Amino acid sequence: MSASTEKEKPSVSRTAVRRPSFQPNTRLGSSSRRSFSLERGSKVLHKSIIQSPKPAVRVFDEESNDVTPLPLCQANPGAAQTTASILFKDRVSADSASDQTTATESFSVPLSRSLLDSSRISSQSSLWLMNEEMEETSSKWNISSSFPDDRGKTEATKEEMEHMHKETKEFFLTETDNISLLNIPSTFLPLDADHPKASKKTRSKDKYVDGSSQTLHGTSKNKHVQSDGLFLVDAGIGVSTSIMYDDTELEERQDKPEPKPISVDFTLVDSDDGGSALSPLRSAERSMSTGSMTTAVSVSSSLKDIEICENTHKPDVELIRLSKKFQHSLLVVEKTILQSLLQPQLAVYRQLPSLKDWIVELEREEQRDAEISETPALEGLWAFSCELTRGFSVSSMAWNKKNPDLLAVGYGEFDSTNQRAGLVCCWSLKNPTWPERVVRCESAVTSLDFSATRPSHLAVGLFNGSIAIYDIQNTDSISLFLDSSKCPSRHLGPVWQLRWNQQEFGLPAEERLEVLISVGADGRIIKWVVCTGNLGHTELMKLKRTIYKNPDAKITESISQSLISSLIPALCLDFHPSEPGIYLTGTWEGLIHKCSCSNNQQYLDTYRKHYCAVNYVAWCPLSDDIFLSCSADCTIQLWTQNQHNPMLSFSTTRKVVHDIKWSPKWATVFAAVYDEQLEVWDLNLSCLSPVIVQPAPPGVRLASLLFASHTDCVVVGDSCGQVTVYHLRNLGVGGSKQVNILHDLLHSAASSTLKP
Amino acid sequence: MADVEETLKRIQSQKGVQGVIIVNSEGIPIKTTLDNTSTVQYAGLIQQLVLMARSTVRELDPQNDLTFLRVRSKKNEIMIYLT
């Protein structure tokens, strides 16, 4: 409706102009506030208005008075004609509060202009004045029509008016109420609207009234309360990744004990009943007053803490003492101290350059001057000894197969008169003052060997003939792995030599079975196999007394048959480095037998030269077929496998050779231990005399010898329980060369011996 | 237990060892072979150093922890073992 009126509005003005001519009976709807409508009566007015500008038109009343209404404005007829239209339009435009009217305004303006084109400009002001008047009386007029501008149409109206002249009519002008046909309030507000609520009020249905009330305040009462001092503690923590990690770790474990809260919880007691404005001030005051208190309190609390700490000292000490970690830490500290103390010696051992150490610098300076020489020399480094081992005699030594820094030393007294308990100490290079492991044995230890497949197993042969295997891995549980003391076929005499050997060379290393071969004073060589929890044994050989028939001798021994075939104690054993199952044993008689593991009845070969007990037999590790033997007849013999006579023999002093060992590095170097001295021979340099002779410390007899595998050092055990480490300097050249030299030597020796 | 005492004695008797101080987790010395003032001084200073070193190690890798610290100077060497 409104749209139609909107559109019709410009047209209304036009049609209003025309309507009286064409459509006199139409009704108009308007959506403006100021509604106006056409009435039938209005058309009469139109006519009157139409008539009014014409002077020919006259209105007479009953008394024939000329009551022709005077024209409102003295404008031109053309202008007068347009007045109504203009007025109409202006009325239309007077509806200020409607957009539609404004729209029509826009429309009407050009129209009015077009209409006013004909009118004079001077009449405009009067027209506007008339507009104002007309606005007031617009309702009265109810003119929705205006007069056409067209001349043609005026002619038509003239005709109508002529018709009308003939009739006298009475006009009654009444005001009608505003009839609003449609009233849609707009939803838009102008920007300068004063009160948005005002508009809202008109629309909202809530009915409320602003009112004021007065709250009654009761009378306030002041009350003082004294509270205990407040402890204010600042606690802060700097967060770092480690702390975050710690906390998340502990949360995960969920067994974190509740940490004692450092801060004391405090609550502000506000005892004011009312007067909220006062309380903050009070609390501030209180905190200020207690601030000074807290410092004093904290001091006292800290004192208390100290007291508490002191009380807890004692359980702390005990706890710390008992903890293993502490023990371990102490050992580590000890080792580090010793390492720094012995750094030069250890460096020499390891063939590393020694650091300038302030502790021993003074001592070293003295020694440095003395030892600048090119000749082979022996340098004493340090000695493994401790009070535990004092009084014992070193009987045997063995390096650990896996950890070459670990040395097992067996101690025992060999005076057959009193058999004391034996001792096995495992020394580490890191700590020469205290052994890593200490094992006490029931009788004197005579032989030792570390297993190769299970590096923590140490086989110990005892004086009473039993063999024990210890597992020395853990400090606190050195368990006796196996013991042959209850085995019926154990050795009846001291076990002079023990050897772990890997049988079945055909198989790869992991599958080889490792067996323990023991040589006892009862003349038996027994092979022990470690079964599950047991020692299974087989006899490898029984060393029987052999009857030596000297082919050159003219007298045959006739009493041979009456001799009791008894077993001869064997003193040593050595396996061939490369050939499986072949081994040498040296006997009490002075014979060396070459035997095979597969044949336990006969010897493969026998070597005779010594006429006293053979103390040690050693294959050359770098060259096959060559072995050395030493015996109580104070000689050392060098043999080749094929020859029944020794190639070379060495003898220096009239003392028993206790031990002899090949150097693992140089094929021509070997060392021998006598009662009073250590001799190092280098066949390259001299076949007749040892290269190095190191006398034993006074009062001490040397007992055992061992070469260190990775370095140029020699370990010597003596009769007072000390194991001394010597360093060999300037000895020998490369290994392979040495072997050749050795072979050459032997060839020459052989040729010389063959010569009659 | 006896081992601990023995080890301590051995350490103390080594050549070049000036003294041994055992400190608990709070930094309070519980056993010492030095005089009181030095002990307190050492303990206090070392505590800070250890804290710093430990936090450094843990910052780099939270799963790591400091075990041994050696401070070598012109005249002395301090060995700190942490359990």
Side-chain angles (χ1 to χ4, degrees):
Chain A
M1 191 70 164
S2 62
S4 60
T5 51
E6 242 187 312
K7 283 177 192 172
E8 275 177 49
K9 278 281 170 67
S11 57
V12 161
S13 55
R14 279 194 185 154
T15 51
V17 172
R18 290 172 193 166
R19 199 158 284 143
S21 56
F22 297 114
Q23 292 169 358
N25 291 326
T26 55
R27 276 191 184 247
L28 276 179
S30 108
S31 61
S32 64
R33 284 200 193 137
R34 294 235 182 152
S35 60
F36 50 90
S37 59
L38 264 181
E39 282 189 354
R40 288 186 185 170
S42 61
K43 67 178 177 191
V44 177
L45 190 58
H46 294 312
K47 289 169 188 164
S48 67
I49 290 166
I50 290 162
Q51 288 169 9
S52 60
K54 286 198 172 175
V57 177
R58 287 184 179 253
V59 178
F60 297 100
D61 60 355
E62 295 167 17
E63 299 169 6
S64 308
N65 291 334
D66 190 359
V67 288
T68 58
L70 295 168
L72 286 168
C73 65
Q74 305 301 322
N76 289 343
Q81 281 181 8
T82 61
T83 49
S85 66
I86 292 159
L87 290 167
F88 170 75
K89 279 168 210 150
D90 288 328
R91 211 182 304 127
V92 168
S93 66
D95 289 340
S96 61
S98 68
D99 282 348
Q100 286 121 358
T101 51
T102 52
T104 54
E105 233 177 350
S106 60
F107 284 111
S108 62
V109 165
L111 284 166
S112 61
R113 294 223 173 190
S114 62
L115 286 168
L116 282 168
D117 282 340
S118 57
S119 67
R120 276 179 251 151
I121 298 165
S122 59
S123 63
Q124 274 185 357
S125 56
S126 58
L127 277 171
W128 293 120
L129 284 167
M130 276 179 62
N131 285 337
E132 287 167 9
E133 286 174 31
M134 284 306 291
E135 282 173 22
E136 293 166 8
T137 58
S138 61
S139 56
K140 292 181 187 173
W141 292 99
N142 289 324
I143 297 167
S144 62
S145 60
S146 59
F147 303 100
D149 200 14
D150 299 341
R151 301 263 173 192
K153 287 184 182 170
T154 50
E155 289 175 3
T157 50
K158 276 179 189 170
E159 287 173 2
E160 285 183 356
M161 282 191 292
E162 283 172 6
H163 277 293
M164 299 285 189
H165 282 321
K166 292 166 184 176
E167 301 169 357
T168 57
K169 292 183 183 173
E170 290 182 354
F171 300 104
F172 294 97
L173 301 174
T174 57
E175 182 182 336
T176 61
D177 294 328
N178 276 343
I179 300 168
S180 120
L181 295 173
L182 179 64
N183 184 14
I184 300 172
S186 75
T187 54
F188 300 106
L189 286 175
L191 284 170
D192 52 353
D194 294 323
H195 234 304
K197 280 188 184 174
S199 55
K200 270 193 189 171
K201 272 187 189 172
T202 54
R203 275 180 248 121
S204 68
K205 290 175 188 174
D206 294 337
K207 294 185 180 172
Y208 61 92
V209 171
D210 281 331
S212 60
S213 66
Q214 184 177 18
T215 55
L216 296 172
H217 294 286
T219 52
S220 64
K221 182 180 173 184
N222 291 334
K223 199 171 179 185
H224 291 278
V225 172
Q226 189 175 8
S227 65
D228 293 334
L230 301 166
F231 302 102
L232 297 173
V233 177
D234 282 329
I237 185 165
V239 178
S240 60
T241 48
S242 54
I243 293 168
M244 289 196 287
Y245 177 81
D246 276 342
D247 287 341
T248 50
E249 274 281 308
L250 290 168
E251 274 172 19
E252 280 167 26
R253 284 185 220 148
Q254 287 192 357
D255 58 346
K256 168 187 175 182
E258 278 296 318
K260 261 197 169 180
I262 306 161
S263 62
V264 179
D265 287 333
F266 59 93
T267 54
L268 270 177
V269 178
D270 189 7
S271 62
D272 288 344
D273 297 328
S276 56
L278 289 170
S279 54
L281 280 173
R282 281 191 178 273
S283 57
E285 283 171 27
R286 216 174 283 144
S287 59
M288 291 251 300
S289 61
T290 51
S292 54
M293 288 271 288
T294 48
T295 49
V297 172
S298 62
V299 166
S300 64
S301 66
S302 64
L303 285 168
K304 275 187 203 166
D305 289 339
I306 290 169
E307 286 166 14
I308 292 162
C309 281
E310 285 171 1
N311 291 336
T312 56
H313 275 188
K314 285 170 191 173
D316 262 350
V317 174
E318 285 306 311
L319 274 172
I320 286 171
R321 263 209 225 154
L322 290 170
S323 78
K324 272 195 181 177
K325 279 187 180 177
F326 184 66
Q327 170 75 6
H328 179 65
S329 66
L330 280 178
L331 289 170
V332 172
V333 170
E334 196 184 354
K335 281 178 194 168
T336 43
I337 294 169
L338 284 162
Q339 278 193 326
S340 60
L341 277 179
L342 293 172
Q343 203 276 334
Q345 288 97 325
L346 284 168
V348 168
Y349 184 90
R350 297 253 191 237
Q351 293 155 350
L352 291 170
S354 78
L355 300 169
K356 284 201 174 172
D357 198 340
W358 51 269
I359 295 176
V360 290
E361 195 154 16
L362 296 167
E363 298 169 18
R364 293 299 295 160
E365 275 176 16
E366 296 161 15
Q367 288 179 22
R368 241 177 267 150
D369 303 330
E371 293 162 358
I372 304 168
S373 58
E374 287 298 317
T375 57
L378 203 69
E379 185 187 336
L381 293 178
W382 72 85
F384 290 108
S385 79
C386 70
E387 55 187 28
L388 280 178
T389 64
R390 220 163 285 159
F392 284 94
S393 171
V394 175
S395 62
S396 59
M397 297 186 290
W399 291 103
N400 190 331
K401 302 281 190 325
K402 192 170 179 195
N403 181 2
D405 292 341
L406 216 59
L407 179 69
V409 180
Y411 300 87
E413 285 293 327
F414 294 117
D415 305 336
S416 51
T417 48
N418 54 341
Q419 282 190 26
R420 283 204 291 168
L423 188 69
V424 175
C425 287
C426 289
W427 294 90
S428 162
L429 227 64
K430 296 176 189 172
N431 190 348
T433 58
W434 194 260
E436 297 293 311
R437 305 279 190 268
V438 175
V439 183
R440 293 199 181 267
C441 306
E442 44 196 23
S443 76
V445 175
T446 51
S447 58
L448 281 178
D449 201 16
F450 268 108
S451 163
T453 50
R454 288 189 208 86
S456 64
H457 283 197
L458 177 66
V460 177
L462 300 172
F463 199 79
N464 60 6
S466 60
I467 296 164
I469 300 176
Y470 290 96
D471 184 356
I472 55 163
Q473 199 160 23
N474 301 318
T475 327
D476 43 348
S477 62
I478 297 171
S479 57
L480 181 60
F481 191 64
L482 284 169
D483 193 4
S484 79
S485 53
K486 291 177 188 155
C487 184
S489 59
R490 68 179 196 275
H491 285 289
L492 300 167
V495 181
W496 290 116
Q497 188 86 46
L498 272 178
R499 274 274 196 269
W500 287 96
N501 196 39
Q502 282 184 332
Q503 303 283 294
E504 296 160 41
F505 277 84
L507 298 171
E510 299 84 41
E511 292 178 33
R512 286 189 206 156
L513 188 66
E514 201 173 24
V515 294
L516 184 64
I517 316 284
S518 68
V519 172
D522 55 352
R524 291 187 301 156
I525 300 171
I526 300 175
K527 173 168 94 173
W528 304 87
V529 178
V530 178
C531 311
T532 53
N534 261 338
L535 268 180
H537 67 281
T538 50
E539 238 175 53
L540 271 184
M541 187 61 69
K542 276 186 182 163
L543 296 169
K544 294 168 193 157
R545 188 182 289 273
T546 57
I547 299 157
Y548 173 54
K549 285 185 180 172
N550 193 347
D552 297 336
K554 292 166 187 178
I555 307 161
T556 57
E557 293 185 23
S558 55
I559 41 171
S560 57
Q561 292 169 356
S562 62
L563 276 171
I564 305 161
S565 63
S566 57
L567 300 170
I568 310 162
L571 289 173
C572 51
L573 178 87
D574 197 15
F575 275 90
H576 196 278
S578 49
E579 278 179 52
I582 307 250
Y583 59 92
L584 287 171
T585 59
T587 63
W588 188 264
E589 294 183 311
L591 299 170
I592 303 166
H593 300 289
K594 183 164 86 170
C595 316
S596 166
C597 290
S598 47
N599 186 351
N600 58 358
Q601 294 298 322
Q602 287 174 337
Y603 313 127
L604 290 177
D605 221 338
T606 308
Y607 304 92
R608 295 163 207 275
K609 184 66 191 210
H610 294 289
Y611 47 87
C612 280
V614 177
N615 279 334
Y616 205 81
V617 170
W619 286 99
C620 179
L622 296 169
S623 158
D624 285 349
D625 308 332
I626 302 174
F627 63 92
L628 270 175
S629 68
C630 71
S631 85
D633 63 358
C634 317
T635 57
I636 302 164
Q637 310 288 340
L638 180 74
W639 307 77
T640 50
Q641 210 178 27
N642 315 323
Q643 302 284 330
H644 284 208
N645 287 323
M647 290 282 126
L648 291 168
S649 79
F650 315 97
S651 65
T652 50
T653 65
R654 291 273 123 207
K655 291 283 176 177
V656 176
V657 188
H658 286 292
D659 209 346
I660 189 165
K661 289 283 193 310
W662 284 99
S663 163
K665 259 173 119 179
W666 303 297
T668 57
V669 174
F670 63 90
V673 141
Y674 294 81
D675 250 355
E676 289 156 1
Q677 61 196 29
L678 165 72
E679 286 183 5
V680 180
W681 294 74
D682 188 356
L683 295 173
N684 194 16
L685 295 176
S686 162
C687 290
L688 295 174
S689 61
V691 170
I692 305 168
V693 178
Q694 175 80 16
V700 169
R701 291 177 290 112
L702 302 176
S704 172
L705 175 72
L706 202 60
F707 267 91
S709 50
H710 292 266
T711 73
D712 318 333
C713 290
V714 163
V715 177
V716 178
D718 60 20
S719 63
C720 61
Q722 266 202 346
V723 176
T724 321
V725 179
Y726 293 98
H727 174 62
L728 298 166
R729 291 194 302 141
N730 307 325
L731 257 184
V733 204
S736 56
K737 259 190 174 183
Q738 299 264 308
V739 174
N740 295 335
I741 294 166
L742 186 64
H743 281 283
D744 293 338
L745 257 171
L746 290 172
H747 279 299
S748 61
S751 58
S752 66
T753 51
L754 282 171
K755 282 176 191 172
Chain B
M1 260 201 303
D3 294 337
V4 171
E5 291 296 327
E6 276 183 35
T7 318
L8 269 174
K9 272 189 214 163
R10 287 207 307 274
I11 293 172
Q12 181 61 26
S13 61
Q14 290 294 340
K15 187 175 67 174
V17 173
Q18 286 175 351
V20 178
I21 303 172
I22 303 174
V23 176
N24 73 349
S25 56
E26 292 165 20
I28 299 165
I30 52 176
K31 196 164 179 167
T32 174
T33 60
L34 299 169
D35 58 323
N36 217 7
T37 41
S38 319
T39 305
V40 168
Q41 200 179 18
Y42 267 106
L45 294 166
I46 299 280
Q47 176 81 356
Q48 296 170 30
L49 182 67
V50 163
L51 219 61
M52 193 63 68
R54 194 176 223 162
S55 70
T56 308
V57 170
R58 299 219 60 211
E59 281 292 313
L60 295 169
D61 180 11
Q63 290 175 339
N64 209 353
D65 200 2
L66 187 69
T67 50
F68 203 88
L69 188 63
R70 269 172 98 158
V71 182
R72 237 181 144 115
S73 68
K74 283 185 193 169
K75 295 187 187 174
N76 294 320
E77 183 176 4
I78 304 172
M79 290 187 204
I80 305 154
Y81 193 95
L82 303 158
T83 50

